[in-house]
Amino acid sequence: MFTTRRIAGLIAVLALPVLAATAGTGVAQPAGDAFDRLPGNEMPGRQIGWAKGGTFEAFKKAVEDNKPMIVVFGSQGSEFSQMLAQKVLPCPHLNQLAGIAVFVYGAPQEDEFARRMALHLKLTEFPTISVIAPRTDTLTELYRMEGLFDAETIARDLRMAFERGGYWPKGFTPAALPKHKLAYPNMICTRDAARR
Protein backbone atom coordinates (compact mmCIF):
# COMPACT_ATOMS: atom_id res chain seq x y z
CA MET A 1 0.00 0.00 0.00
CA PHE A 2 1.30 3.41 -0.92
CA THR A 3 0.98 6.02 1.79
CA THR A 4 1.79 9.69 2.13
CA ARG A 5 4.13 8.82 5.00
CA ARG A 6 6.32 6.71 2.68
CA ILE A 7 7.00 9.67 0.42
CA ALA A 8 7.17 12.39 3.08
CA GLY A 9 10.94 12.71 2.61
CA LEU A 10 10.67 13.25 -1.11
CA ILE A 11 7.78 15.67 -0.73
CA ALA A 12 9.93 17.67 1.70
CA VAL A 13 12.86 17.66 -0.74
CA LEU A 14 10.66 19.02 -3.50
CA ALA A 15 8.90 21.42 -1.10
CA LEU A 16 5.49 20.06 -2.09
CA PRO A 17 2.56 20.80 0.19
CA VAL A 18 1.06 17.82 1.98
CA LEU A 19 -2.68 18.35 1.96
CA ALA A 20 -3.39 16.07 4.92
CA ALA A 21 -1.56 13.58 7.08
CA THR A 22 -3.73 10.67 6.03
CA ALA A 23 -2.99 8.01 3.43
CA GLY A 24 -4.29 8.61 -0.05
CA THR A 25 -3.85 12.38 -0.10
CA GLY A 26 -1.34 14.09 -2.29
CA VAL A 27 -0.57 17.26 -4.15
CA ALA A 28 -2.54 19.22 -6.70
CA GLN A 29 -2.69 17.39 -10.01
CA PRO A 30 -2.72 18.82 -13.53
CA ALA A 31 -6.02 19.50 -15.23
CA GLY A 32 -5.47 16.67 -17.70
CA ASP A 33 -2.91 14.42 -19.31
CA ALA A 34 -0.61 16.69 -21.35
CA PHE A 35 0.53 13.79 -23.55
CA ASP A 36 -3.04 13.07 -24.68
CA ARG A 37 -3.61 16.65 -25.77
CA LEU A 38 -0.66 16.64 -28.17
CA PRO A 39 -1.80 15.71 -31.69
CA GLY A 40 -0.45 12.50 -33.18
CA ASN A 41 -0.31 10.51 -29.95
CA GLU A 42 -2.82 7.81 -30.59
CA MET A 43 -2.50 4.11 -29.80
CA PRO A 44 1.02 3.30 -31.14
CA GLY A 45 2.72 5.27 -28.33
CA ARG A 46 0.42 3.78 -25.68
CA GLN A 47 1.83 0.27 -26.02
CA ILE A 48 4.56 1.07 -23.48
CA GLY A 49 1.81 2.19 -21.12
CA TRP A 50 2.02 5.97 -20.75
CA ALA A 51 0.89 6.84 -17.23
CA LYS A 52 -2.28 8.86 -16.80
CA GLY A 53 -2.97 11.41 -14.09
CA GLY A 54 0.32 13.29 -14.01
CA THR A 55 3.83 12.76 -12.72
CA PHE A 56 2.83 12.37 -9.07
CA GLU A 57 0.62 9.36 -9.83
CA ALA A 58 3.36 7.95 -12.09
CA PHE A 59 5.90 8.35 -9.31
CA LYS A 60 3.65 6.52 -6.84
CA LYS A 61 3.26 3.66 -9.34
CA ALA A 62 7.03 3.53 -9.94
CA VAL A 63 7.71 3.24 -6.20
CA GLU A 64 4.98 0.61 -5.72
CA ASP A 65 6.30 -1.48 -8.63
CA ASN A 66 10.00 -0.75 -7.84
CA LYS A 67 10.58 0.41 -11.41
CA PRO A 68 12.35 3.51 -12.64
CA MET A 69 10.20 6.36 -13.89
CA ILE A 70 10.85 7.86 -17.32
CA VAL A 71 9.71 11.47 -17.38
CA VAL A 72 9.59 13.20 -20.75
CA PHE A 73 9.67 16.85 -19.73
CA GLY A 74 8.16 18.90 -22.52
CA SER A 75 6.71 22.28 -23.20
CA GLN A 76 3.77 23.15 -25.45
CA GLY A 77 5.75 26.22 -26.51
CA SER A 78 8.76 24.19 -27.65
CA GLU A 79 8.83 23.06 -31.29
CA PHE A 80 11.22 20.24 -30.41
CA SER A 81 8.95 19.04 -27.56
CA GLN A 82 6.05 18.91 -30.00
CA MET A 83 8.14 17.01 -32.56
CA LEU A 84 9.31 14.52 -29.90
CA ALA A 85 5.72 13.90 -28.77
CA GLN A 86 4.27 13.64 -32.28
CA LYS A 87 7.01 11.96 -34.33
CA VAL A 88 9.27 10.07 -31.88
CA LEU A 89 7.37 8.82 -28.81
CA PRO A 90 4.76 6.84 -30.82
CA CYS A 91 7.53 4.88 -32.63
CA PRO A 92 7.50 1.10 -32.09
CA HIS A 93 11.20 1.18 -31.12
CA LEU A 94 10.25 2.47 -27.68
CA ASN A 95 7.80 -0.39 -27.19
CA GLN A 96 10.83 -2.64 -26.62
CA LEU A 97 10.95 -1.09 -23.15
CA ALA A 98 7.36 -1.99 -22.24
CA GLY A 99 7.13 -3.22 -18.66
CA ILE A 100 10.62 -2.06 -17.64
CA ALA A 101 9.65 1.40 -16.36
CA VAL A 102 6.76 3.75 -15.72
CA PHE A 103 6.54 6.25 -18.60
CA VAL A 104 4.96 9.70 -18.21
CA TYR A 105 4.88 12.93 -20.17
CA GLY A 106 5.30 15.85 -17.78
CA ALA A 107 4.59 19.43 -18.80
CA PRO A 108 5.96 21.68 -16.02
CA GLN A 109 3.55 24.48 -16.99
CA GLU A 110 0.56 22.22 -16.28
CA ASP A 111 1.76 19.66 -13.73
CA GLU A 112 2.93 20.99 -10.35
CA PHE A 113 4.91 17.85 -9.46
CA ALA A 114 6.66 17.97 -12.87
CA ARG A 115 7.45 21.64 -12.30
CA ARG A 116 8.97 20.94 -8.87
CA MET A 117 10.96 18.00 -10.25
CA ALA A 118 12.27 20.13 -13.14
CA LEU A 119 13.34 22.86 -10.69
CA HIS A 120 15.03 20.34 -8.39
CA LEU A 121 16.85 18.72 -11.32
CA LYS A 122 17.78 22.18 -12.66
CA LEU A 123 16.34 21.47 -16.09
CA THR A 124 16.80 24.33 -18.52
CA GLU A 125 16.12 22.70 -21.89
CA PHE A 126 12.99 21.09 -23.26
CA PRO A 127 12.49 18.37 -24.22
CA THR A 128 14.43 16.42 -21.61
CA ILE A 129 14.04 12.71 -20.91
CA SER A 130 14.94 11.86 -17.33
CA VAL A 131 15.22 8.45 -15.67
CA ILE A 132 14.21 8.73 -12.00
CA ALA A 133 14.98 6.02 -9.43
CA PRO A 134 12.01 4.64 -7.45
CA ARG A 135 13.25 6.07 -4.15
CA THR A 136 11.24 7.95 -1.56
CA ASP A 137 14.07 9.50 0.45
CA THR A 138 15.50 11.69 -2.32
CA LEU A 139 14.90 12.52 -5.96
CA THR A 140 17.60 10.54 -7.77
CA GLU A 141 18.14 10.98 -11.48
CA LEU A 142 19.83 7.95 -13.04
CA TYR A 143 20.14 9.30 -16.57
CA ARG A 144 19.25 12.34 -18.67
CA MET A 145 18.84 13.03 -22.40
CA GLU A 146 18.41 16.68 -23.37
CA GLY A 147 17.11 17.57 -26.80
CA LEU A 148 15.48 15.78 -29.71
CA PHE A 149 16.65 12.25 -30.57
CA ASP A 150 15.30 9.46 -32.75
CA ALA A 151 13.41 6.62 -31.05
CA GLU A 152 16.12 4.05 -31.79
CA THR A 153 18.74 6.14 -29.96
CA ILE A 154 16.39 6.83 -27.03
CA ALA A 155 15.55 3.12 -26.64
CA ARG A 156 19.24 2.13 -26.80
CA ASP A 157 20.36 4.75 -24.27
CA LEU A 158 17.50 4.02 -21.87
CA ARG A 159 18.26 0.32 -21.99
CA MET A 160 21.92 1.03 -21.11
CA ALA A 161 20.76 3.26 -18.21
CA PHE A 162 18.44 0.48 -16.96
CA GLU A 163 21.25 -2.07 -17.15
CA ARG A 164 23.71 0.20 -15.29
CA GLY A 165 21.11 0.96 -12.61
CA GLY A 166 20.24 -2.73 -12.16
CA TYR A 167 16.67 -2.31 -13.45
CA TRP A 168 16.95 -4.48 -16.58
CA PRO A 169 15.42 -7.88 -15.73
CA LYS A 170 17.78 -10.82 -16.09
CA GLY A 171 17.03 -12.83 -19.20
CA PHE A 172 14.63 -10.21 -20.55
CA THR A 173 14.67 -9.96 -24.34
CA PRO A 174 13.19 -6.81 -25.87
CA ALA A 175 10.42 -7.07 -28.43
CA ALA A 176 11.48 -7.39 -32.05
CA LEU A 177 11.76 -4.20 -34.09
CA PRO A 178 9.78 -3.62 -37.29
CA LYS A 179 11.15 -5.56 -40.26
CA HIS A 180 11.50 -2.57 -42.55
CA LYS A 181 12.53 0.92 -41.54
CA LEU A 182 10.11 2.68 -43.88
CA ALA A 183 7.02 1.32 -42.12
CA TYR A 184 6.55 4.65 -40.32
CA PRO A 185 7.49 7.30 -42.92
CA ASN A 186 6.23 10.29 -40.91
CA MET A 187 8.02 9.27 -37.71
CA ILE A 188 11.57 9.84 -36.51
CA CYS A 189 12.14 6.26 -35.47
CA THR A 190 15.69 5.65 -36.69
CA ARG A 191 18.87 7.62 -37.20
CA ASP A 192 18.26 7.44 -40.95
CA ALA A 193 14.86 9.07 -40.50
CA ALA A 194 16.40 11.78 -38.30
CA ARG A 195 18.77 12.74 -41.14
CA ARG A 196 15.91 13.35 -43.61
Side-chain angles (χ1 to χ4, degrees):
M1 171 97 180
F2 195 83
T3 65
T4 302
R5 181 176 287 158
R6 278 185 68 194
I7 62 167
L10 181 63
I11 289 174
V13 167
L14 296 177
L16 291 170
V18 177
L19 300 177
T22 59
T25 60
V27 297
Q29 293 299 304
D33 188 355
F35 184 81
D36 280 343
R37 289 196 303 274
L38 294 174
N41 291 305
E42 288 82 30
M43 289 308 291
R46 288 273 176 213
Q47 293 175 11
I48 58 173
W50 290 93
K52 307 280 275 170
T55 52
F56 185 70
E57 292 302 317
F59 178 74
K60 288 187 342 184
K61 182 165 178 37
V63 171
E64 286 172 353
D65 296 348
N66 194 31
K67 293 180 179 179
M69 179 172 74
I70 308 302
V71 184
V72 179
F73 290 98
S75 168
Q76 294 248 344
S78 163
E79 178 183 341
F80 292 121
S81 292
Q82 297 293 315
M83 194 176 298
L84 180 73
Q86 295 170 8
K87 296 184 176 277
V88 178
L89 297 181
C91 286
H93 291 70
L94 294 177
N95 292 330
Q96 303 174 74
L97 305 174
I100 303 297
V102 176
F103 289 80
V104 65
Y105 187 92
Q109 309 88 339
E110 302 171 22
D111 182 335
E112 180 63 17
F113 197 72
R115 186 183 75 77
R116 301 281 176 126
M117 288 173 64
L119 284 172
H120 183 79
L121 297 171
K122 298 178 174 60
L123 299 183
T124 58
E125 301 294 323
F126 296 107
T128 294
I129 299 172
S130 184
V131 180
I132 307 294
R135 297 179 54 181
T136 59
D137 56 343
T138 184
L139 185 65
T140 304
E141 185 177 47
L142 302 172
Y143 186 73
R144 179 185 296 189
M145 295 180 81
E146 292 180 343
L148 180 65
F149 296 90
D150 59 274
E152 182 179 37
T153 300
I154 293 169
R156 183 197 66 227
D157 287 7
L158 290 179
R159 179 178 176 170
M160 288 189 302
F162 295 153
E163 288 173 348
R164 277 195 308 268
Y167 293 105
W168 190 261
K170 296 202 184 313
F172 182 80
T173 305
L177 294 176
K179 296 287 183 199
H180 50 91
K181 294 182 178 182
L182 299 177
Y184 302 89
N186 296 324
M187 302 284 186
I188 305 173
C189 296
T190 64
R191 282 171 255 156
D192 294 336
R195 291 186 192 116
R196 283 190 249 145

